[in-house]
Amino acid sequence: MSVFSSASLRSSVVSRLRAAGCVFAEDEARILLSAAASPADLAAMVRSRADGRPLEHVVGWAEFAGLRIAVDPGVFVPRRRSEFLAATATALTAPGAVVLDLCCGSGALGAALAAAAAHPVELYAADIDPGAVRCARRNLAGTAARVFQGDLFGAVPAELRGRVNVLIANVPYVPTGDLGLLPPEARLHEARPALDGGADGLDVLRRVVAEAPQWLASGGSLLFETSERQVPTALAVTRAAGLAAVASRQEELDATVVAATLR
């Protein structure tokens, strides 16, 4: 019997994780046992997780929309709620559409859209964090996507102006004053620019919305995630820019997505 199939070892790992406060200790133990290459490797991974590092950073990947997304230490971990954003964007993506994923992080949204779309798309992605860009390039390597490093639209080719059919912008939307309320895994181990949305959480969104009409094709849509309490302001911001905006809610994932279309 392999040491990794030992019931006593599994029980020991679960107990260690529970003692460290891991709510889903049994699920996490299963993942760690499957990811470890040796007993020493397993011990180091369990210790790292018990010390508070995100499970995804410990094992090097996150599950998202049925895909295994590479996530290096310090890179924003894709949340399950963002699967609603990916699905909403996919539903609006026609054959040959030009898709731009700003604040792409690990590239999870673009990878999910490329995997779910039943037809080829022209996919671009960008992020300001070099670590995130490295992950995105790995995660999108099986597609024809081009990934750029830089600040929002400043990172992408100028020839995309007026051509983007689907603009995904999973901007940071946690108000600065609320960052201290985030779980330590996020607060201490993910890049702050991927979390901090400014005073009301919508500073980065305002920057995206201000330029989005210049980049969207006629009938193109900007899609972003936000919190329920931010919806009225987010809708007002997008409508003030001349976009027709509606909000959708997915209760199971606790996810809210705004789709703002250029008419």
Side-chain angles (χ1 to χ4, degrees), residues 6 14 47 69 73 95 113 122 124 137 151 183 185 199 210 248:
S6 163
V14 169
R47 183 167 57 251
I69 302 295
L113 185 149
E122 190 177 336
Y124 302 84
R137 286 176 175 153
D151 187 23
E185 295 163 329
S248 302

Side-chain angles (χ1 to χ4, degrees), residues 100-103 126-127 148-162 164 166-169 171 204-216 222:
L100 173 58
D101 181 6
L102 288 184
C103 302
D127 199 282
F148 303 92
Q149 181 186 337
D151 187 23
L152 301 179
F153 295 103
V156 299
E159 56 263 31
L160 289 182
R161 285 179 180 269
V164 178
V166 176
L167 171 55
I168 308 169
V171 298
V204 183
L205 175 66
R206 289 186 179 90
R207 293 181 56 208
V208 171
V209 170
E211 292 194 57
Q214 304 168 41
W215 294 83
L216 289 170
L222 162 66

Side-chain angles (χ1 to χ4, degrees), residues 110-189:
L113 185 149
H119 38 257
V121 298
E122 190 177 336
L123 178 60
Y124 302 84
D127 199 282
I128 197 169
D129 177 15
V133 168
R134 286 193 293 271
C135 282
R137 286 176 175 153
R138 284 155 56 196
N139 290 318
L140 293 170
T143 72
R146 296 172 63 191
V147 184
F148 303 92
Q149 181 186 337
D151 187 23
L152 301 179
F153 295 103
V156 299
E159 56 263 31
L160 289 182
R161 285 179 180 269
R163 293 187 55 229
V164 178
N165 303 112
V166 176
L167 171 55
I168 308 169
N170 197 17
V171 298
Y173 59 90
V174 179
T176 303
D178 290 349
L179 291 175
L181 304 177
L182 292 175
E185 295 163 329
R187 189 176 69 248
L188 301 178
H189 297 281

Side-chain angles (χ1 to χ4, degrees), residues 12-95:
S12 174
V13 171
V14 169
S15 296
R16 179 79 173 89
L17 295 176
R18 280 181 179 157
C22 298
V23 177
F24 303 104
E26 291 196 3
D27 291 336
E28 294 194 11
R30 174 180 50 79
I31 292 171
L32 291 171
L33 285 163
S34 67
S38 68
D41 190 31
L42 176 63
M45 294 171 83
V46 171
R47 183 167 57 251
S48 183
R49 177 64 184 122
D51 287 343
R53 281 185 62 198
L55 176 68
E56 295 82 1
H57 288 168
V58 173
V59 299
W61 56 269
E63 184 176 331
F64 183 82
L67 304 175
R68 183 172 287 196
I69 302 295
V71 183
D72 290 338
V75 173
F76 180 80
V77 176
R79 273 55 166 176
R80 274 209 66 215
R81 72 168 64 92
S82 296
E83 292 179 3
F84 183 47
L85 177 56
T88 304
T90 301
L92 293 176
T93 303

